[in-house]
Amino acid sequence: REGERKDRRSHKMKSAGEVVIGDGGFVFALEKRGYVKAGPWTPEATVTHPEAVRQLHREFLRAGSNVMQAFTFYASDDKLENRANMSLEVASEGDALVAGGVSQTPSYLSCKSETEVKAIFKKQLEVFMKKNVDFLIAEYFEHVEEAEWAVQVLKTSGKPVAASLCIGPEGDMHGISPGECAVRLVKAGAQIVGVNCHFDPMTCVKAVKMMKEGVEKAGLKAHYMVQPLAYHTPDCNCQGFIDLPEFPFGLEPRILTRWDMHKYAREAYKAGIRFIGGCCGFEPYHIRAVAEELASERGIIPPGSEKHGMWGSGLEMHTKPWVRARARRDYWEQLMPASGRPKCPSFSTPEADQI
Amino acid sequence: REGERKDRRSHKMKSAGEVVIGDGGFVFALEKRGYVKAGPWTPEATVTHPEAVRQLHREFLRAGSNVMQAFTFYASDDKLENRANMSLEVASEGDALVAGGVSQTPSYLSCKSETEVKAIFKKQLEVFMKKNVDFLIAEYFEHVEEAEWAVQVLKTSGKPVAASLCIGPEGDMHGISPGECAVRLVKAGAQIVGVNCHFDPMTCVKAVKMMKEGVEKAGLKAHYMVQPLAYHTPDCNCQGFIDLPEFPFGLEPRILTRWDMHKYAREAYKAGIRFIGGCCGFEPYHIRAVAEELASERGIIPPGSEKHGMWGSGLEMHTKPWVRARARRDYWEQLMPASGRPKCPSFSTPEADQI
Amino acid sequence: REGERKDRRSHKMKSAGEVVIGDGGFVFALEKRGYVKAGPWTPEATVTHPEAVRQLHREFLRAGSNVMQAFTFYASDDKLENRANMSLEVASEGDALVAGGVSQTPSYLSCKSETEVKAIFKKQLEVFMKKNVDFLIAEYFEHVEEAEWAVQVLKTSGKPVAASLCIGPEGDMHGISPGECAVRLVKAGAQIVGVNCHFDPMTCVKAVKMMKEGVEKAGLKAHYMVQPLAYHTPDCNCQGFIDLPEFPFGLEPRILTRWDMHKYAREAYKAGIRFIGGCCGFEPYHIRAVAEELASERGIIPPGSEKHGMWGSGLEMHTKPWVRARARRDYWEQLMPASGRPKCPSFSTPEADQI
Amino acid sequence: REGERKDRRSHKMKSAGEVVIGDGGFVFALEKRGYVKAGPWTPEATVTHPEAVRQLHREFLRAGSNVMQAFTFYASDDKLENRANMSLEVASEGDALVAGGVSQTPSYLSCKSETEVKAIFKKQLEVFMKKNVDFLIAEYFEHVEEAEWAVQVLKTSGKPVAASLCIGPEGDMHGISPGECAVRLVKAGAQIVGVNCHFDPMTCVKAVKMMKEGVEKAGLKAHYMVQPLAYHTPDCNCQGFIDLPEFPFGLEPRILTRWDMHKYAREAYKAGIRFIGGCCGFEPYHIRAVAEELASERGIIPPGSEKHGMWGSGLEMHTKPWVRARARRDYWEQLMPASGRPKCPSFSTPEADQI
C-alpha cells in the first residue's frame, strides 16, 4: 500500500493546476456532536471516541474532500500518532491525500526562543514522517515569524509544505500585509501559501488575492490555499471572529448556506486558488457545495451528491406548486434568507473595539 | 434482555411526572451529513449507511435523549424492521426507550377510505409489535382526523400511544383549534398528545398549552409532548415553515442557539409538558442544552456534558479577558446574536401569502 | 362669514359618507422645527411663534386636510382662545372645518372627582363655543371613563362630538376592549368614535375595526375616525410607543414612507372609517399621500399635489435609466426600504417588559 | 446696513479658526412640506410660496446656522435674484452670512466648451455681486474639472470662494482621488474645499480628511467644509445615494437621529473641518444638534435650544420612571434604534451594481 500512496501523492502534486478540496474544521463540528469541549478545544476524542471522529472524516470524504488533515491543534505526541493513523485509514477508503499539520505554539506567545519553538515542530514532524503523510501544513498562525520557523522545520522532510495564516486583508498581528507575509513564507520554503480560519470566505479570498499579488510582484512562484470560516463576518475587526460577541456559542445566524458556498468556491477559483477548503463551522454539506460548484473544472461529482439535487432540483416533486418553483438555480442564488430574529441586528461590535 | 426492557418501560411510564427528552429530526441532520436527499426525504440510509444513522442515534443518546424513535417517514416495511432493530440496539447502549412511529399517509391525502388508511397503519404496527418497541407515536399529521385513525389502530397494541400533530396555534389544516384536536385525540385513545415540526419552539409550546386547556376544560386527562423545529419562524403563516421562501435550503440564519434551547426547555416545562424533544434542525448539542436546562428537575446531567461547560464556563481559561468575561450565564442569556448578513431582513413573506 | 361657515359645516356633517382627512400631530412636527420642547410638550409656540404654527397649518391644508384642529394639549384658557383663532383663520383660507379639542387631564390621573374633571372640560368648551368651532373632539384619552365625561360635557354644546382614545387592540388602560369602549362612548353621546396616537396605522385601524364590530353588535350607529402615529410600532406592548426605548428621540428609522401611507389610507377606507388623519410623526407629505390614495373616492386631488407626481412619476425625466424605471406604482409598492443601520435590529423590547 | 455687513463678513472670515455652521438642503425639506417637486427639483417655490421658504430659512437660523445659502440649483437668473434677496433678509434677522451658490451645469454634461460653461457661472456671479453676498460657493459638482472652472470664475469677484464636490472616498466621477481634487481646487483659487450631498456624514468626513491630507502633502493651505446627507448610506457605491433603490421616496428608515448628528459634528470638528453643515434630509433639529455638540467650542448655544433639553433632559419630569431614566447622555449615545420594519434589511444593493 505504501508504494501506491507514494505514486498517488506524486501524481497529485505534479498536476498542481487541478483543484484540491479541503475538509472542514473538526473541533467545531465535533463540539456540536458532543465530543470536543469549547474553550480548551483539545482533541482527545481521537482516543476516547474514535468512531465519531472517523465518521466525520468519512462524511467530508464523501462530500468531495480529497485532503484528510490529521488535525493536531494543541495535541500531544501520542495523540498525534493516533490521529495520523486514523486519517490514513479513512483516506485509503477514498481518493484522498493525508496532511500532517502543525499550528502556532503557546511557547512562541510566551516568547520562547526560535530554537525552543522549532524543537516542538521537529518532534511533531517526526511523528508525521513515521506515518509517511503525503504533505505537511503549517496552519493557524497569527504571526508570520512563527510560521516561517515552522516552514523551515517542515521543509527538511523533503515533502511538499503548505503554510496558512489566520489573517485577513489587514495582515498579521503586527500589521504585516498579506503580500509581505506570503513572500516571507515562500522564501522560507513553502510551495503553497494561504489563509485559514478567523474570517468569512469572501474576506479570506480577498486576503489570498493580496498574497498572490505580493508573491508575483516579488517575482516568486507559489500555489494558493484558502480554508475560511463557514460564518459571515463582515463586522470583524482585524482580530477575526474571536472578538465578535457571538464567539463561540452564538454564531448560528451567521452560518453560510450551501448557496453561499457556491459563490465562495467560484470566487476562490477565479482568484487562482487551487486548494479550497474550510475551517470552523463547515459541515459536510458545505464541502459538498464547494465540490458541486467546481464539478466541471475537476471533472468529478462527489459521492455525496447522490443524495443532493443540484440547485435544489430535489424539490421538483413537491406537492405545493410554489415549493416546486424553488427547484431552480436563480431562485437560490438570489434568495436573501431572513433571520427569523427581529430583535437581532446584522452587525455586532467586536468587543476589543468597545474598550 | 427482553424482561429488563419491559420493567424499564413500565417504570418509566408509571412515573409520568418525570421529564422525558426526545431526540432530533433525523432527515434534516442526515441530509447535512450527506445521507438523505432533500425533496423525497426517504430514509434508505438506514440500509445503505447504517453506521451513519447509528452514529447520529448515539449522539442524541449521549446528548441526553431517552427516547429513540424508529423514524419511519414514508418507509416501506422492510426498512421499518431494519430501522426498529437499529433503534433498539442503540437504546440498549444507554437508558432509552424505543418508540415506533407512524406518520400521515399519501393515501389519506388522495382521499382513500378510513379502512384503507387504517390498513397501512396496521401493517406498520405489526412490525413494531414484532420488535417489541416500548411505546408508539402517531406523529406529523396535518389533519386531526387521520391522526385519530392512527391512534385507533395503535391503541389495539395495548402499548402507550402518543399523538402529535404538525400544527400551530391556528389549528389543523381545516382550522380545527389545538384544544379541539387534543380532545379528539385523547378520546381516540392517546395517553400523550402534542405537536411537532412546522413551527419554532415557542410557537409549538403555545399550541400545546392550548391543547392542555382544551383537554382540561373537557374534563379529560393526558400527558403532553412537544417536538418543534430548531428554526425561528415568527413569520410563518398557518402552514408552517414549508411556506417560508427559505425552505429547505436557506434556513441557516434561523437556527436556534443552545441558549435559545434553554429558554425553550424552561418554557415547555413550565407549561406542564413532560415529553420535550425536537424535530427538523435539531443537532445533538440542541438536545444537550434541553437536558442541561432540566438537569435539576431530572436529577441527571447528560453524558455529553462532560464536553460542555454549563453556560459557557469552558471559556474561563481563554487568553483574552473579554472572551473570559463571556463565561457566565447572563452574558449568553442576554446576547442578541447578529446575523452577519446586512442584506437580509428579519422576516420573510410566506409564499402562499404572496399569491 | 359666520353664516357661510354654518352652512359649510351642516353640509359637511350631513354627507357623512364622504371622507374627511385630518391633519398631523403638531407637537412632534413643531419640535423638529424648533418651537416645542419634548418632555413638557406645551404649546406656547402659538403665542411666541404664531407664524411657525400658522405655516404648519397651511401645509396640512395644502396637503389635503379638511379639518384644522385647535390643538390644546395641556393648554391654558388664553392660549386656547389664541389657538382657536389661528385655526379658524387658516381654515378660512381653504375648505376646512375647525375642531375644538380636549384631552385627558392630569386631574383625572390624580383621582379628582367627576365634577372637578368635568369643570375643566366645561371651561375649555366655553372658549370653543365663543369661537364657534364646527365640531368638538375628545381626543387622547387612555381611560374610557374620562372620555365619557368629556363627551357628556361636549354634547351639551349641540355640536357634533367625536371621541378618540389612544388605545390599541388590547383596549384601554384597564383592559376594557375597543368594542366595549366604543359602545360606552356612543352611549355617552359621541357621533364619531375612534383611536389616535400610541400605535402605528395598521394597529390603529385594527382597533377601530374592533370598535365598529362592538357598536354594530350593540345595535348602535356611529361614524369612525383614526389618527395614528407615523411610526411603525409592531413591537409595542399595550402601552404604546412611549414604552419603546426609542421614544421620543430615536424614532427616525420607524417613520412611514409615503407609500406606507397609501396602504394605511386604503385599509382604513376599506374598514369603513371615514375620518382619516394622523398624529405624532405625520408631516404634510404623509397627509398628502392619504389624500392622493383616496383622490377618486373624494373626487378631489389636494392642492399640494401640484408638486408631487403620483406614484413617483416625477422621476420620468431622470438621466439614469434605472432611476427613471422607478417612476411606477409597483416599484414603490413592493420596495422594502433598507435601514442603512447594520447595528440596529427590527424590533425593540418595550422597557416596561424588561422590568 | 451694507457697511455693517461688510464688517461682519471680514470679521468672520478673519477668524477662520472658529466654527461656521451651515444650513440644510432646501429641496428635500420643501418637498416634504409640499412646495418642491421631486424629480425636477426646481426652486420656483421662492416665487410662488416665499413665506414657506422664508420660514425654513428662519428655522435653520434659529437652529444655529450662521450661513444662509441662496440656493440656486438649476435656477434661472430672475429667481436667483429673488432668492438672494430672501437670504439676505432672513440673515439680517440673525447673525448669519449669506452665500451665493453655483452648481454643476447641464451644459458641462452635454460637453459644452469651457468658455460656454464659464459664461453661465459669470451670469450667476453678476447677480450675487449686485446683491453683495458675503462669499461664494461652488457646490454639488461631480467632476472636479467643472468645479475648477466655477472657482476660476467666482474668484474674479474678490470674495472668499468655497468649493464643494459631491464625492466620497473613491473620488470624483472619473476616479480622481479626494486628495488630488482638493489640490486642484485650491490651486484654482478656492480658500475652502470640501464635499456635500451624496453620502452620509461619516463617509463625507472621511473624504474631507483625504482632501486635507492631499492639500497638506502638496504644501498648500485651505479651510475645510462638509455638508453631507442626513441619511445613513453605508451601502452606497461610488455614485452615492441616487443609486440606492430607496432614492428618493423610501429613504425614511435611513434618517439620522439627533444623536447621530452629535457624533458627526464631533468627528468633523476633530478632523479639522470648520464649516460644518448639511444637505438633503437635514431638518432644523439636525442642525441644532450640530450646534449643540459644538456649543462650547463656539461659545454659543443656538436660539432654538430654548426648546430643547440637552441630551434628553426634557424627559426629567415624565410620569413613568423608565422614561425619566432616558434623560441622560449615555442612554441616547448608546441606543441602537430599531427600525420597526421586520421585512426590511440593513443594506440595499445599489441598482447600478445589479446590472
Side-chain angles (χ1 to χ4, degrees):
Chain A
R1 222 188 79 206
E2 236 358 75
E4 277 172 51
R5 276 192 47 242
K6 265 183 198 154
D7 287 355
R8 195 181 66 219
R9 181 186 68 209
S10 67
H11 166 72
K12 285 270 176 185
M13 288 292 138
K14 249 185 295 176
S15 57
E18 88 179 64
V19 181
V20 172
I21 297 204
D23 53 11
F26 269 64
V27 288
F28 266 59
L30 289 172
E31 198 275 335
K32 289 189 178 170
R33 296 186 182 195
Y35 299 104
V36 163
K37 186 168 185 176
W41 303 113
T42 45
E44 63 273 15
T46 307
V47 177
T48 59
H49 297 87
E51 269 314 299
V53 181
R54 204 174 282 124
Q55 174 64 26
L56 184 57
H57 263 305
R58 280 194 189 108
E59 292 173 15
F60 280 123
L61 188 67
R62 179 171 160 79
S65 170
N66 39 18
V67 177
M68 296 284 102
Q69 267 185 262
F71 193 66
T72 56
F73 203 62
Y74 301 141
S76 58
D77 303 353
D78 56 324
K79 273 175 208 136
L80 219 57
E81 186 158 345
N82 199 305
R83 194 71 174 73
N85 281 338
M86 183 180 292
S87 301
L88 288 162
E89 191 187 314
V90 180
S92 72
E93 296 174 12
D95 178 34
L97 296 170
V98 173
V102 302
S103 311
Q104 67 181 10
T105 61
S107 299
Y108 180 83
L109 294 175
S110 55
C111 300
K112 293 280 163 62
S113 71
E114 181 175 342
T115 311
E116 286 169 298
V117 172
K118 282 185 166 174
I120 295 167
F121 296 136
K122 266 175 208 158
K123 271 184 82 174
Q124 297 182 326
L125 177 59
E126 276 163 30
V127 177
F128 294 130
M129 290 306 285
K130 201 162 76 181
K131 293 297 158 189
N132 195 20
V133 299
D134 297 307
F135 69 107
L136 298 157
I137 304 186
E139 172 175 88
Y140 198 87
F141 285 84
E142 291 176 292
H143 302 85
V144 67
E145 185 186 49
E146 191 186 7
E148 287 177 298
W149 296 352
V151 170
Q152 286 158 1
V153 171
L154 298 182
K155 77 169 178 180
T156 63
S157 67
K159 289 181 187 283
V161 175
S164 175
L165 306 176
C166 45
I167 66 170
E170 298 186 53
D172 93 338
M173 288 291 269
H174 297 299
I176 303 172
S177 76
E180 192 180 340
C181 286
V183 167
R184 286 174 60 171
L185 293 170
V186 172
K187 287 187 176 166
Q191 283 93 328
I192 309 175
V193 294
V195 306
N196 73 294
C197 204
H198 275 208
F199 298 93
D200 64 22
M202 291 314 196
T203 306
C204 285
V205 169
K206 194 175 164 192
V208 178
K209 273 186 188 176
M210 294 166 76
M211 285 186 155
K212 190 161 178 269
E213 283 168 24
V215 168
E216 288 171 359
K217 262 194 193 158
L220 298 170
K221 280 202 168 174
H223 300 299
Y224 299 93
M225 71 186 292
V226 65
Q227 304 222 77
L229 301 175
Y231 302 113
H232 289 289
T233 64
D235 42 354
C236 270
N237 63 14
C238 65
Q239 304 204 53
F241 82 139
I242 291 165
D243 267 13
L244 289 177
E246 292 87 3
F247 175 86
F249 297 125
L251 294 164
E252 278 81 352
R254 298 173 178 268
I255 299 173
L256 272 81
T257 67
R258 60 197 76 197
W259 321 116
D260 293 330
M261 288 295 169
H262 276 266
K263 287 178 193 157
Y264 151 57
R266 181 56 48 202
E267 193 72 11
Y269 186 82
K270 284 198 308 190
I273 303 171
R274 291 295 176 266
F275 184 152
I276 302 173
C279 200
C280 303
F282 270 72
E283 298 287 341
Y285 78 108
H286 289 128
I287 288 294
R288 183 178 60 196
V290 169
E292 289 185 347
E293 174 65 27
L294 299 174
S296 67
E297 284 80 5
R298 297 176 73 223
I300 45 166
I301 284 174
S305 293
E306 65 167 321
K307 292 294 175 195
H308 193 238
M310 286 287 270
W311 294 108
S313 66
L315 302 174
E316 273 157 11
M317 304 299 290
H318 200 276
T319 50
K320 293 186 181 176
W322 52 88
V323 178
R324 281 203 297 279
R326 297 175 198 163
R328 60 181 214 273
R329 177 169 180 160
D330 66 322
Y331 179 84
W332 295 108
E333 276 188 329
Q334 287 164 24
L335 182 75
M336 294 286 176
S339 71
R341 301 171 192 260
K343 294 197 178 177
C344 296
S346 294
F347 278 14
S348 287
T349 303
E351 287 197 60
D353 296 0
Q354 294 171 13
I355 293 161
Chain B
R1 222 188 77 206
E2 235 358 75
E4 276 172 53
R5 275 191 48 241
K6 268 183 197 155
D7 287 355
R8 196 181 65 218
R9 182 186 66 206
S10 66
H11 166 73
K12 286 268 174 185
M13 288 293 138
K14 249 184 294 178
S15 55
E18 89 180 62
V19 182
V20 172
I21 297 203
D23 53 10
F26 270 65
V27 288
F28 266 59
L30 289 172
E31 197 276 336
K32 290 190 178 169
R33 296 185 183 196
Y35 300 105
V36 163
K37 186 168 184 176
W41 302 114
T42 45
E44 62 273 16
T46 307
V47 177
T48 58
H49 297 88
E51 270 314 298
V53 182
R54 203 175 282 124
Q55 174 62 27
L56 183 58
H57 263 306
R58 281 196 188 105
E59 292 173 15
F60 280 123
L61 187 66
R62 179 172 160 78
S65 170
N66 39 18
V67 176
M68 297 283 103
Q69 267 185 261
F71 193 66
T72 57
F73 203 62
Y74 302 139
S76 57
D77 303 352
D78 56 324
K79 272 174 208 139
L80 220 57
E81 184 157 349
N82 200 306
R83 194 69 176 72
N85 280 338
M86 184 181 290
S87 301
L88 287 162
E89 189 187 315
V90 179
S92 72
E93 297 175 12
D95 179 34
L97 297 170
V98 173
V102 303
S103 311
Q104 68 181 9
T105 61
S107 298
Y108 180 83
L109 295 175
S110 54
C111 300
K112 292 279 162 64
S113 71
E114 182 175 342
T115 311
E116 287 168 298
V117 171
K118 283 186 166 174
I120 296 167
F121 296 136
K122 266 175 209 159
K123 271 183 83 172
Q124 296 182 327
L125 177 59
E126 276 162 31
V127 178
F128 294 131
M129 291 306 286
K130 200 164 78 181
K131 293 296 156 188
N132 194 21
V133 300
D134 297 306
F135 68 108
L136 297 157
I137 305 186
E139 171 175 87
Y140 199 87
F141 285 84
E142 292 175 291
H143 300 85
V144 68
E145 185 185 50
E146 191 186 6
E148 287 177 297
W149 296 352
V151 169
Q152 286 159 359
V153 171
L154 298 181
K155 77 169 178 178
T156 64
S157 68
K159 290 181 186 282
V161 175
S164 176
L165 306 176
C166 44
I167 65 169
E170 298 186 54
D172 93 336
M173 288 291 268
H174 296 297
I176 301 170
S177 76
E180 192 180 341
C181 286
V183 167
R184 288 173 59 170
L185 293 170
V186 171
K187 287 186 176 167
Q191 283 93 329
I192 310 175
V193 293
V195 306
N196 72 294
C197 204
H198 274 207
F199 297 93
D200 63 23
M202 291 314 196
T203 306
C204 285
V205 169
K206 194 175 164 192
V208 178
K209 275 186 188 175
M210 293 166 76
M211 284 185 155
K212 190 161 177 269
E213 283 168 24
V215 169
E216 288 171 359
K217 264 194 192 161
L220 299 169
K221 279 201 170 178
H223 300 298
Y224 300 92
M225 71 185 294
V226 65
Q227 305 221 79
L229 301 176
Y231 302 112
H232 289 289
T233 63
D235 41 354
C236 270
N237 62 15
C238 64
Q239 305 204 52
F241 82 140
I242 290 165
D243 267 13
L244 289 177
E246 293 86 4
F247 175 87
F249 297 126
L251 294 163
E252 280 80 352
R254 298 174 176 268
I255 299 173
L256 272 81
T257 67
R258 59 196 77 197
W259 321 115
D260 292 330
M261 288 294 170
H262 276 266
K263 286 177 194 158
Y264 151 57
R266 181 55 49 201
E267 194 71 10
Y269 186 82
K270 284 197 309 192
I273 303 169
R274 291 295 176 268
F275 183 152
I276 302 172
C279 200
C280 304
F282 270 73
E283 298 287 341
Y285 78 106
H286 289 129
I287 288 294
R288 184 178 61 196
V290 170
E292 289 185 348
E293 175 65 26
L294 299 174
S296 67
E297 283 80 4
R298 298 175 72 223
I300 45 165
I301 284 174
S305 293
E306 64 167 323
K307 292 294 176 195
H308 193 239
M310 284 287 271
W311 293 107
S313 66
L315 302 175
E316 274 158 10
M317 306 299 291
H318 200 277
T319 50
K320 292 186 182 177
W322 52 88
V323 178
R324 282 202 297 279
R326 295 174 199 164
R328 59 181 215 275
R329 178 170 178 157
D330 67 321
Y331 179 85
W332 296 108
E333 276 189 328
Q334 288 164 23
L335 182 75
M336 295 286 176
S339 71
R341 302 173 192 259
K343 294 195 178 178
C344 296
S346 293
F347 278 14
S348 288
T349 303
E351 288 196 59
D353 295 0
Q354 295 170 14
I355 293 160
Chain C
R1 222 189 78 204
E2 236 358 76
E4 278 172 51
R5 274 190 48 242
K6 267 183 198 155
D7 288 353
R8 196 181 66 217
R9 183 186 65 207
S10 66
H11 166 72
K12 286 268 175 187
M13 289 293 138
K14 248 184 295 177
S15 55
E18 86 179 66
V19 182
V20 172
I21 297 203
D23 53 10
F26 270 65
V27 288
F28 266 59
L30 289 172
E31 198 276 337
K32 290 189 177 169
R33 297 185 182 197
Y35 299 105
V36 164
K37 187 168 185 176
W41 303 113
T42 45
E44 61 272 16
T46 306
V47 178
T48 58
H49 297 88
E51 271 313 299
V53 181
R54 203 174 282 122
Q55 174 63 27
L56 183 58
H57 262 305
R58 281 196 188 106
E59 292 173 14
F60 280 122
L61 188 66
R62 178 171 162 78
S65 169
N66 40 17
V67 176
M68 298 282 103
Q69 266 185 262
F71 193 66
T72 56
F73 204 61
Y74 302 141
S76 58
D77 304 351
D78 55 325
K79 272 174 208 140
L80 219 57
E81 184 156 350
N82 198 306
R83 193 70 175 71
N85 280 338
M86 185 180 290
S87 300
L88 287 162
E89 190 186 316
V90 179
S92 72
E93 296 175 12
D95 179 34
L97 297 170
V98 172
V102 303
S103 313
Q104 68 181 10
T105 61
S107 300
Y108 180 83
L109 293 175
S110 55
C111 300
K112 293 279 164 64
S113 71
E114 182 174 341
T115 313
E116 287 168 299
V117 171
K118 283 187 164 173
I120 295 166
F121 297 136
K122 267 176 208 157
K123 272 183 83 173
Q124 296 182 328
L125 177 60
E126 277 163 30
V127 177
F128 293 130
M129 291 305 287
K130 200 162 78 180
K131 293 297 158 188
N132 194 19
V133 298
D134 297 306
F135 69 107
L136 297 157
I137 305 186
E139 171 174 87
Y140 197 88
F141 285 84
E142 291 176 290
H143 300 85
V144 66
E145 184 185 52
E146 191 186 7
E148 286 177 297
W149 296 353
V151 169
Q152 286 158 1
V153 171
L154 298 181
K155 75 168 179 179
T156 63
S157 68
K159 291 181 186 281
V161 174
S164 175
L165 306 177
C166 43
I167 66 169
E170 298 185 53
D172 95 336
M173 288 291 269
H174 297 297
I176 302 170
S177 75
E180 192 180 341
C181 286
V183 168
R184 288 173 60 168
L185 293 170
V186 172
K187 287 186 176 165
Q191 284 93 330
I192 310 174
V193 292
V195 306
N196 73 295
C197 205
H198 276 207
F199 297 93
D200 63 24
M202 290 315 195
T203 306
C204 285
V205 168
K206 193 176 164 191
V208 178
K209 275 186 186 174
M210 293 166 75
M211 286 185 154
K212 192 161 177 269
E213 282 168 25
V215 169
E216 289 171 358
K217 263 194 192 159
L220 298 170
K221 279 200 170 179
H223 300 298
Y224 300 92
M225 69 185 294
V226 64
Q227 306 222 76
L229 300 176
Y231 303 112
H232 289 288
T233 64
D235 42 354
C236 269
N237 61 14
C238 65
Q239 304 203 52
F241 81 140
I242 291 164
D243 267 14
L244 290 177
E246 293 87 3
F247 175 86
F249 298 126
L251 294 163
E252 278 81 353
R254 297 173 178 269
I255 300 172
L256 272 81
T257 67
R258 61 197 75 196
W259 320 114
D260 292 329
M261 289 294 171
H262 276 266
K263 287 176 194 161
Y264 151 57
R266 181 55 49 200
E267 193 71 12
Y269 186 82
K270 284 197 310 191
I273 304 170
R274 291 294 176 267
F275 184 152
I276 302 172
C279 199
C280 303
F282 270 73
E283 297 287 340
Y285 78 107
H286 288 130
I287 288 294
R288 182 179 60 198
V290 170
E292 290 185 347
E293 175 64 27
L294 299 173
S296 69
E297 283 80 4
R298 299 174 73 223
I300 45 165
I301 284 173
S305 293
E306 65 166 322
K307 293 294 176 194
H308 192 239
M310 284 288 268
W311 293 108
S313 66
L315 302 175
E316 273 156 10
M317 306 298 291
H318 200 276
T319 51
K320 293 185 182 178
W322 52 88
V323 178
R324 281 203 298 279
R326 296 175 199 164
R328 59 181 215 272
R329 177 169 179 160
D330 67 321
Y331 179 85
W332 294 108
E333 275 189 329
Q334 288 164 22
L335 182 76
M336 294 286 176
S339 71
R341 302 173 192 259
K343 294 197 178 177
C344 296
S346 293
F347 277 15
S348 288
T349 304
E351 288 197 57
D353 295 0
Q354 295 170 13
I355 293 161
Chain D
R1 223 186 79 204
E2 236 358 77
E4 276 171 53
R5 276 191 46 243
K6 267 184 197 154
D7 287 354
R8 197 182 64 217
R9 181 186 68 209
S10 67
H11 166 72
K12 286 268 176 186
M13 289 291 137
K14 249 186 295 178
S15 56
E18 90 178 65
V19 182
V20 171
I21 298 203
D23 53 11
F26 270 64
V27 287
F28 265 59
L30 289 172
E31 197 276 336
K32 289 189 178 170
R33 297 185 182 195
Y35 300 105
V36 163
K37 186 168 185 176
W41 303 113
T42 45
E44 63 273 15
T46 308
V47 177
T48 58
H49 297 88
E51 270 312 299
V53 182
R54 204 175 281 125
Q55 175 62 27
L56 183 57
H57 263 305
R58 280 195 188 108
E59 292 173 16
F60 279 122
L61 188 67
R62 178 172 161 79
S65 168
N66 39 19
V67 176
M68 297 284 103
Q69 268 186 261
F71 192 67
T72 56
F73 204 63
Y74 302 140
S76 58
D77 304 352
D78 55 325
K79 272 175 207 139
L80 219 58
E81 184 157 347
N82 199 305
R83 193 71 175 73
N85 281 338
M86 185 180 291
S87 301
L88 287 161
E89 191 187 314
V90 180
S92 72
E93 295 175 12
D95 179 34
L97 297 170
V98 173
V102 302
S103 312
Q104 69 181 9
T105 61
S107 299
Y108 180 83
L109 294 176
S110 53
C111 300
K112 293 280 163 64
S113 71
E114 181 175 342
T115 312
E116 286 168 297
V117 172
K118 282 186 165 174
I120 295 167
F121 296 136
K122 264 176 209 158
K123 272 184 81 173
Q124 295 183 327
L125 178 59
E126 275 163 32
V127 177
F128 294 130
M129 291 306 287
K130 199 163 80 180
K131 293 298 158 187
N132 195 20
V133 299
D134 296 308
F135 70 106
L136 297 157
I137 305 186
E139 172 175 86
Y140 199 87
F141 284 84
E142 291 176 290
H143 300 85
V144 66
E145 184 186 51
E146 190 186 8
E148 286 177 296
W149 296 352
V151 169
Q152 285 158 1
V153 170
L154 298 181
K155 77 168 178 178
T156 63
S157 69
K159 289 182 186 283
V161 174
S164 176
L165 307 176
C166 44
I167 66 169
E170 298 185 53
D172 93 338
M173 288 290 269
H174 298 298
I176 303 171
S177 75
E180 192 180 342
C181 286
V183 166
R184 287 173 60 169
L185 293 170
V186 172
K187 286 186 177 166
Q191 282 94 331
I192 309 175
V193 293
V195 306
N196 73 294
C197 205
H198 275 208
F199 298 93
D200 65 23
M202 291 313 196
T203 306
C204 285
V205 168
K206 193 174 164 193
V208 178
K209 274 186 187 175
M210 292 168 77
M211 286 184 152
K212 192 162 175 268
E213 282 168 26
V215 169
E216 288 171 359
K217 262 195 193 159
L220 298 169
K221 280 200 167 175
H223 300 299
Y224 299 92
M225 71 186 293
V226 65
Q227 305 220 79
L229 301 175
Y231 302 113
H232 289 287
T233 64
D235 41 355
C236 270
N237 61 14
C238 65
Q239 303 204 54
F241 82 140
I242 291 165
D243 267 14
L244 289 176
E246 293 87 2
F247 176 86
F249 297 125
L251 294 163
E252 279 80 353
R254 299 173 177 267
I255 299 173
L256 273 81
T257 67
R258 58 196 77 196
W259 320 115
D260 292 330
M261 288 294 171
H262 276 265
K263 287 178 194 158
Y264 151 56
R266 181 56 49 202
E267 193 72 11
Y269 186 82
K270 284 198 308 191
I273 304 169
R274 291 297 176 266
F275 184 150
I276 302 172
C279 199
C280 303
F282 270 73
E283 297 287 341
Y285 78 107
H286 288 129
I287 288 293
R288 183 178 61 194
V290 170
E292 289 185 349
E293 174 64 28
L294 299 173
S296 68
E297 283 80 4
R298 297 174 74 222
I300 44 166
I301 284 173
S305 293
E306 66 167 321
K307 291 293 175 196
H308 192 238
M310 284 286 269
W311 293 107
S313 66
L315 303 174
E316 273 157 10
M317 305 299 291
H318 201 276
T319 50
K320 293 186 182 176
W322 53 86
V323 178
R324 282 202 298 278
R326 297 175 197 164
R328 58 181 216 273
R329 178 169 178 159
D330 67 321
Y331 179 85
W332 295 108
E333 276 188 329
Q334 287 164 24
L335 181 75
M336 294 287 176
S339 71
R341 300 172 193 260
K343 294 197 178 177
C344 296
S346 294
F347 278 15
S348 288
T349 303
E351 288 197 59
D353 296 0
Q354 295 170 13
I355 291 160

